[in-house]
Amino acid sequence: MDDGGSSSEWNRGGSLSVSEVAGLLEQETLQLLKKECGGLQTLLKNNHQVFRVEGGRVHIRDWRDRKSSRADTKRKPVAPGALKTRPCWFYDHHPQRCPLQAEHCAFAHGPDDLRPSTKPRKKIKNDAL
């Protein structure tokens, strides 16, 4: 299988309103999301590498489109120590895999592409001391 398709071949899908996405989930799932990560909108925001929320609508992000929103143009480039340290969600989950070739994607396309992070670990505060 090809490691990425052209823009006319890769299906970026449509969009749904945030309320439509919430309506697709069971109430129990929504409550769990609220408890574990602050709710559906926070989940979408924290997974910005996969989802783009614009004008109250949820889209699957297409990394070939660098001008997909004004916020993206303000982002700092990915630190070299962070490249390929996490699996590519699209490569693992999208039926057509990632739209980017492996060398152009900041995420790992398979286990052979995965690298250990060189970012220093965050120190955990110990409130008991």
Side-chain angles (χ1 to χ4, degrees):
M1 177 186 283
D2 186 343
D3 203 31
S6 72
S7 59
S8 62
E9 296 171 1
W10 195 76
N11 184 357
R12 66 176 82 196
S15 68
L16 294 172
S17 70
V18 175
S19 62
E20 286 173 312
V21 173
L24 294 171
L25 301 172
E26 294 179 7
Q27 202 57 31
E28 184 179 311
T29 302
L30 290 170
Q31 290 172 352
L32 186 61
L33 285 175
K34 183 80 171 172
K35 180 181 176 186
E36 301 229 348
C37 67
L40 177 61
Q41 290 188 50
T42 303
L43 175 84
L44 294 169
K45 180 180 176 185
N46 289 343
N47 288 280
H48 61 88
Q49 71 276 15
V50 177
F51 303 105
R52 178 175 54 88
V53 180
E54 205 169 81
R57 299 200 62 82
V58 181
H59 307 261
I60 291 178
R61 186 172 295 282
D62 186 343
W63 283 101
R64 296 168 302 172
D65 183 10
R66 301 285 180 186
K67 300 171 189 168
S68 61
S69 79
R70 290 178 63 193
D72 288 343
T73 61
K74 297 177 186 176
R75 287 195 192 277
K76 296 178 191 173
V78 177
L83 288 172
K84 308 285 186 183
T85 59
R86 295 188 297 167
C88 176
W89 186 91
F90 295 106
Y91 185 82
D92 289 343
H93 300 287
H94 192 283
Q96 295 169 305
R97 300 222 175 208
C98 181
L100 299 175
Q101 296 294 320
E103 61 269 14
H104 299 293
C105 184
F107 300 95
H109 285 195
D112 293 341
D113 202 22
L114 195 59
R115 296 185 224 168
S117 177
T118 59
K119 286 174 54 177
R121 289 185 165 205
K122 291 182 180 179
K123 293 182 181 180
I124 300 173
K125 292 182 183 178
N126 188 344
D127 294 334
L129 294 176

